[in-house]
Short mmCIF file of all heavy atoms in Angstrom, two decimals:
data_model
loop_
_atom_site.label_atom_id
_atom_site.label_comp_id
_atom_site.label_asym_id
_atom_site.label_seq_id
_atom_site.Cartn_x
_atom_site.Cartn_y
_atom_site.Cartn_z
N ILE A 23 -78.88 -104.00 83.74
CA ILE A 23 -78.94 -105.36 83.18
C ILE A 23 -79.25 -105.30 81.69
O ILE A 23 -78.72 -106.08 80.89
CB ILE A 23 -79.99 -106.21 83.92
CG1 ILE A 23 -79.68 -106.28 85.43
CG2 ILE A 23 -80.02 -107.62 83.34
CD1 ILE A 23 -78.31 -106.79 85.77
N GLY A 24 -80.10 -104.35 81.27
CA GLY A 24 -80.39 -104.18 79.86
C GLY A 24 -79.15 -103.76 79.07
O GLY A 24 -78.90 -104.26 77.96
N LEU A 25 -78.36 -102.87 79.64
CA LEU A 25 -77.12 -102.45 78.98
C LEU A 25 -76.12 -103.60 78.95
O LEU A 25 -75.35 -103.74 77.99
CB LEU A 25 -76.54 -101.24 79.71
CG LEU A 25 -77.37 -99.95 79.60
CD1 LEU A 25 -76.79 -98.86 80.49
CD2 LEU A 25 -77.45 -99.48 78.15
N TRP A 26 -76.12 -104.42 80.02
CA TRP A 26 -75.25 -105.60 80.04
C TRP A 26 -75.62 -106.53 78.88
O TRP A 26 -74.75 -107.01 78.15
CB TRP A 26 -75.40 -106.33 81.37
CG TRP A 26 -74.58 -107.57 81.49
CD1 TRP A 26 -73.30 -107.65 81.96
CD2 TRP A 26 -74.97 -108.91 81.14
NE1 TRP A 26 -72.87 -108.96 81.92
CE2 TRP A 26 -73.87 -109.75 81.42
CE3 TRP A 26 -76.12 -109.48 80.63
CZ2 TRP A 26 -73.90 -111.13 81.20
CZ3 TRP A 26 -76.16 -110.84 80.39
CH2 TRP A 26 -75.06 -111.66 80.68
N ALA A 27 -76.92 -106.77 78.70
CA ALA A 27 -77.37 -107.65 77.62
C ALA A 27 -76.97 -107.08 76.26
O ALA A 27 -76.56 -107.82 75.36
CB ALA A 27 -78.88 -107.85 77.71
N ALA A 28 -77.11 -105.77 76.11
CA ALA A 28 -76.73 -105.14 74.85
C ALA A 28 -75.24 -105.30 74.58
O ALA A 28 -74.82 -105.55 73.44
CB ALA A 28 -77.12 -103.66 74.87
N SER A 29 -74.43 -105.18 75.62
CA SER A 29 -72.98 -105.34 75.46
C SER A 29 -72.62 -106.77 75.08
O SER A 29 -71.71 -107.00 74.27
CB SER A 29 -72.27 -104.94 76.75
OG SER A 29 -72.48 -103.57 77.05
N VAL A 30 -73.32 -107.74 75.67
CA VAL A 30 -73.08 -109.15 75.32
C VAL A 30 -73.44 -109.39 73.86
O VAL A 30 -72.72 -110.06 73.12
CB VAL A 30 -73.87 -110.08 76.26
CG1 VAL A 30 -73.77 -111.52 75.79
CG2 VAL A 30 -73.36 -109.96 77.70
N TRP A 31 -74.58 -108.84 73.43
CA TRP A 31 -75.00 -108.98 72.03
C TRP A 31 -73.93 -108.41 71.09
O TRP A 31 -73.59 -109.02 70.08
CB TRP A 31 -76.32 -108.25 71.84
CG TRP A 31 -76.79 -108.13 70.42
CD1 TRP A 31 -77.33 -109.11 69.64
CD2 TRP A 31 -76.76 -106.95 69.61
NE1 TRP A 31 -77.65 -108.61 68.40
CE2 TRP A 31 -77.31 -107.29 68.35
CE3 TRP A 31 -76.34 -105.64 69.82
CZ2 TRP A 31 -77.44 -106.37 67.31
CZ3 TRP A 31 -76.47 -104.72 68.80
CH2 TRP A 31 -77.00 -105.08 67.56
N GLN A 32 -73.39 -107.27 71.46
CA GLN A 32 -72.34 -106.66 70.65
C GLN A 32 -71.09 -107.54 70.61
O GLN A 32 -70.48 -107.73 69.54
CB GLN A 32 -72.00 -105.28 71.21
CG GLN A 32 -71.18 -104.40 70.30
CD GLN A 32 -71.08 -102.99 70.85
OE1 GLN A 32 -70.79 -102.79 72.03
NE2 GLN A 32 -71.31 -102.00 69.99
N ALA A 33 -70.72 -108.12 71.76
CA ALA A 33 -69.55 -109.00 71.83
C ALA A 33 -69.76 -110.27 71.00
O ALA A 33 -68.80 -110.88 70.54
CB ALA A 33 -69.25 -109.36 73.27
N MET A 34 -71.03 -110.66 70.81
CA MET A 34 -71.35 -111.84 70.01
C MET A 34 -71.23 -111.56 68.50
O MET A 34 -71.41 -112.47 67.69
CB MET A 34 -72.77 -112.31 70.33
CG MET A 34 -72.97 -112.83 71.73
SD MET A 34 -74.73 -113.07 72.13
CE MET A 34 -75.18 -114.36 70.96
N GLY A 35 -70.98 -110.31 68.16
CA GLY A 35 -70.94 -109.96 66.74
C GLY A 35 -72.23 -109.36 66.24
O GLY A 35 -72.46 -109.28 65.04
N ALA A 36 -73.11 -108.94 67.18
CA ALA A 36 -74.38 -108.30 66.85
C ALA A 36 -75.22 -109.13 65.87
O ALA A 36 -75.54 -108.68 64.77
CB ALA A 36 -74.15 -106.90 66.30
N PRO A 37 -75.60 -110.37 66.26
CA PRO A 37 -76.43 -111.18 65.36
C PRO A 37 -77.76 -110.49 65.06
O PRO A 37 -78.30 -109.75 65.88
CB PRO A 37 -76.65 -112.48 66.15
CG PRO A 37 -76.39 -112.11 67.58
CD PRO A 37 -75.35 -111.06 67.54
N ALA A 38 -78.28 -110.74 63.85
CA ALA A 38 -79.50 -110.06 63.40
C ALA A 38 -80.73 -110.50 64.18
O ALA A 38 -81.73 -109.79 64.23
CB ALA A 38 -79.71 -110.31 61.91
N SER A 39 -80.65 -111.68 64.79
CA SER A 39 -81.79 -112.19 65.55
C SER A 39 -81.27 -112.86 66.83
O SER A 39 -80.36 -113.69 66.77
CB SER A 39 -82.58 -113.19 64.72
OG SER A 39 -83.64 -113.76 65.47
N ILE A 40 -81.85 -112.50 67.96
CA ILE A 40 -81.44 -113.09 69.24
C ILE A 40 -82.61 -113.08 70.20
O ILE A 40 -83.45 -112.16 70.18
CB ILE A 40 -80.24 -112.32 69.85
CG1 ILE A 40 -79.70 -113.06 71.08
CG2 ILE A 40 -80.61 -110.87 70.19
CD1 ILE A 40 -78.37 -112.54 71.57
N ARG A 41 -82.70 -114.10 71.02
CA ARG A 41 -83.75 -114.16 72.03
C ARG A 41 -83.27 -113.56 73.34
O ARG A 41 -82.17 -113.88 73.81
CB ARG A 41 -84.19 -115.61 72.26
CG ARG A 41 -84.95 -116.22 71.10
CD ARG A 41 -85.60 -117.53 71.47
NE ARG A 41 -86.47 -118.02 70.39
CZ ARG A 41 -87.43 -118.92 70.53
NH1 ARG A 41 -87.64 -119.47 71.73
NH2 ARG A 41 -88.16 -119.29 69.51
N LEU A 42 -84.10 -112.72 73.93
CA LEU A 42 -83.87 -112.22 75.28
C LEU A 42 -84.88 -112.94 76.16
O LEU A 42 -86.08 -112.73 76.05
CB LEU A 42 -84.06 -110.71 75.34
CG LEU A 42 -83.83 -110.05 76.71
CD1 LEU A 42 -82.41 -110.29 77.20
CD2 LEU A 42 -84.13 -108.56 76.66
N VAL A 43 -84.37 -113.81 77.02
CA VAL A 43 -85.21 -114.70 77.83
C VAL A 43 -85.09 -114.32 79.30
O VAL A 43 -83.99 -114.11 79.80
CB VAL A 43 -84.78 -116.17 77.64
CG1 VAL A 43 -85.67 -117.10 78.47
CG2 VAL A 43 -84.80 -116.56 76.18
N GLU A 44 -86.22 -114.23 79.98
CA GLU A 44 -86.18 -114.03 81.43
C GLU A 44 -86.88 -115.19 82.12
O GLU A 44 -87.99 -115.58 81.73
CB GLU A 44 -86.82 -112.71 81.86
CG GLU A 44 -86.63 -112.45 83.35
CD GLU A 44 -87.19 -111.14 83.86
OE1 GLU A 44 -87.73 -110.37 83.03
OE2 GLU A 44 -87.12 -110.90 85.07
N LEU A 45 -86.25 -115.72 83.15
CA LEU A 45 -86.83 -116.79 83.96
C LEU A 45 -87.47 -116.19 85.20
O LEU A 45 -86.82 -115.48 85.96
CB LEU A 45 -85.73 -117.79 84.37
CG LEU A 45 -84.79 -118.30 83.27
CD1 LEU A 45 -83.84 -119.34 83.85
CD2 LEU A 45 -85.57 -118.86 82.09
N GLY A 46 -88.73 -116.50 85.42
CA GLY A 46 -89.42 -115.95 86.58
C GLY A 46 -89.47 -114.44 86.56
O GLY A 46 -88.85 -113.81 87.41
N PRO A 47 -90.21 -113.84 85.62
CA PRO A 47 -90.14 -112.39 85.40
C PRO A 47 -90.90 -111.52 86.39
O PRO A 47 -90.98 -110.31 86.19
CB PRO A 47 -90.74 -112.22 83.99
CG PRO A 47 -90.89 -113.59 83.43
CD PRO A 47 -91.02 -114.50 84.60
N GLY A 48 -91.47 -112.11 87.45
CA GLY A 48 -92.14 -111.29 88.46
C GLY A 48 -93.29 -110.50 87.88
O GLY A 48 -94.17 -111.02 87.21
N ARG A 49 -93.26 -109.19 88.10
CA ARG A 49 -94.31 -108.31 87.56
C ARG A 49 -93.97 -107.77 86.17
O ARG A 49 -94.72 -106.97 85.63
CB ARG A 49 -94.50 -107.12 88.51
CG ARG A 49 -95.16 -107.47 89.84
CD ARG A 49 -95.19 -106.24 90.72
NE ARG A 49 -96.09 -106.39 91.84
CZ ARG A 49 -96.23 -105.49 92.81
NH1 ARG A 49 -95.50 -104.37 92.78
NH2 ARG A 49 -97.07 -105.68 93.80
N GLY A 50 -92.82 -108.17 85.65
CA GLY A 50 -92.40 -107.65 84.36
C GLY A 50 -91.57 -106.39 84.45
O GLY A 50 -91.18 -105.81 83.43
N THR A 51 -91.28 -105.95 85.68
CA THR A 51 -90.56 -104.69 85.88
C THR A 51 -89.14 -104.75 85.32
O THR A 51 -88.67 -103.81 84.67
CB THR A 51 -90.51 -104.34 87.37
OG1 THR A 51 -91.84 -104.34 87.90
CG2 THR A 51 -89.87 -102.98 87.60
N LEU A 52 -88.43 -105.86 85.59
CA LEU A 52 -87.06 -105.98 85.11
C LEU A 52 -87.02 -105.95 83.58
O LEU A 52 -86.21 -105.22 82.99
CB LEU A 52 -86.44 -107.28 85.63
CG LEU A 52 -85.04 -107.61 85.12
CD1 LEU A 52 -84.06 -106.48 85.38
CD2 LEU A 52 -84.54 -108.91 85.76
N MET A 53 -87.87 -106.72 82.92
CA MET A 53 -87.88 -106.73 81.46
C MET A 53 -88.26 -105.37 80.91
O MET A 53 -87.70 -104.91 79.90
CB MET A 53 -88.83 -107.81 80.95
CG MET A 53 -88.87 -107.94 79.43
SD MET A 53 -87.26 -108.30 78.67
CE MET A 53 -87.03 -110.02 79.16
N GLN A 54 -89.20 -104.71 81.54
CA GLN A 54 -89.61 -103.37 81.11
C GLN A 54 -88.41 -102.41 81.12
O GLN A 54 -88.19 -101.67 80.15
CB GLN A 54 -90.71 -102.87 82.05
CG GLN A 54 -91.35 -101.56 81.66
CD GLN A 54 -92.44 -101.17 82.67
OE1 GLN A 54 -92.27 -101.31 83.88
NE2 GLN A 54 -93.56 -100.70 82.16
N ASP A 55 -87.65 -102.41 82.20
CA ASP A 55 -86.49 -101.54 82.32
C ASP A 55 -85.37 -101.96 81.37
O ASP A 55 -84.66 -101.12 80.80
CB ASP A 55 -85.98 -101.53 83.76
CG ASP A 55 -86.96 -100.87 84.72
OD1 ASP A 55 -87.80 -100.07 84.26
OD2 ASP A 55 -86.88 -101.14 85.94
N MET A 56 -85.19 -103.28 81.19
CA MET A 56 -84.17 -103.77 80.26
C MET A 56 -84.46 -103.30 78.83
O MET A 56 -83.56 -102.86 78.11
CB MET A 56 -84.11 -105.30 80.31
CG MET A 56 -83.51 -105.87 81.57
SD MET A 56 -83.62 -107.68 81.60
CE MET A 56 -82.60 -108.11 80.20
N LEU A 57 -85.71 -103.40 78.42
CA LEU A 57 -86.07 -103.02 77.06
C LEU A 57 -85.90 -101.52 76.83
O LEU A 57 -85.50 -101.09 75.73
CB LEU A 57 -87.51 -103.44 76.76
CG LEU A 57 -87.75 -104.95 76.66
CD1 LEU A 57 -89.24 -105.25 76.51
CD2 LEU A 57 -86.96 -105.55 75.51
N ARG A 58 -86.19 -100.73 77.84
CA ARG A 58 -85.98 -99.29 77.71
C ARG A 58 -84.50 -98.98 77.50
O ARG A 58 -84.12 -98.18 76.64
CB ARG A 58 -86.51 -98.56 78.94
CG ARG A 58 -86.43 -97.04 78.84
CD ARG A 58 -87.16 -96.35 79.97
NE ARG A 58 -86.60 -96.69 81.26
CZ ARG A 58 -87.22 -97.47 82.16
NH1 ARG A 58 -88.39 -98.01 81.89
NH2 ARG A 58 -86.65 -97.73 83.32
N ALA A 59 -83.65 -99.63 78.29
CA ALA A 59 -82.21 -99.40 78.17
C ALA A 59 -81.64 -99.98 76.88
O ALA A 59 -80.63 -99.49 76.37
CB ALA A 59 -81.49 -100.01 79.38
N ALA A 60 -82.29 -101.03 76.36
CA ALA A 60 -81.78 -101.70 75.15
C ALA A 60 -81.72 -100.77 73.95
O ALA A 60 -80.93 -100.99 73.02
CB ALA A 60 -82.65 -102.90 74.83
N ARG A 61 -82.52 -99.73 73.97
CA ARG A 61 -82.55 -98.81 72.84
C ARG A 61 -81.27 -97.98 72.75
O ARG A 61 -81.03 -97.32 71.73
CB ARG A 61 -83.76 -97.89 72.95
CG ARG A 61 -85.08 -98.65 72.92
CD ARG A 61 -86.28 -97.71 72.89
NE ARG A 61 -87.53 -98.45 72.97
CZ ARG A 61 -88.12 -99.04 71.95
NH1 ARG A 61 -87.56 -98.99 70.75
NH2 ARG A 61 -89.27 -99.69 72.10
N ALA A 62 -80.45 -98.00 73.79
CA ALA A 62 -79.22 -97.19 73.78
C ALA A 62 -78.20 -97.70 72.78
O ALA A 62 -77.33 -96.93 72.34
CB ALA A 62 -78.61 -97.17 75.19
N LEU A 63 -78.27 -98.98 72.42
CA LEU A 63 -77.31 -99.55 71.47
C LEU A 63 -78.04 -99.79 70.14
O LEU A 63 -78.92 -100.65 70.06
CB LEU A 63 -76.73 -100.85 72.00
CG LEU A 63 -75.56 -101.44 71.20
CD1 LEU A 63 -74.38 -100.47 71.18
CD2 LEU A 63 -75.12 -102.77 71.79
N PRO A 64 -77.71 -99.03 69.11
CA PRO A 64 -78.41 -99.15 67.83
C PRO A 64 -78.43 -100.59 67.31
O PRO A 64 -77.41 -101.27 67.31
CB PRO A 64 -77.60 -98.24 66.90
CG PRO A 64 -76.97 -97.23 67.81
CD PRO A 64 -76.66 -97.99 69.07
#
């Protein structure tokens, strides 16, 4: 899901500022894993 978000950001033209929003984040596990994967796209 983190890589998916990164790909969408790239398709948007890589804006300099963007919000990553999660609804009902549970224990924070999904966001934690998403942020780790997000580093794959400079």
Side-chain angles (χ1 to χ4, degrees):
I23 302 304
L25 293 173
W26 179 89
S29 297
V30 172
W31 172 75
Q32 194 171 47
M34 294 169 64
S39 177
I40 188 168
R41 290 192 173 199
L42 181 60
V43 181
E44 186 178 359
L45 311 184
R49 289 175 165 175
T51 306
L52 175 56
M53 182 58 73
Q54 186 180 42
D55 292 339
M56 289 175 63
L57 291 174
R58 185 171 61 251
R61 299 186 184 279
L63 189 61

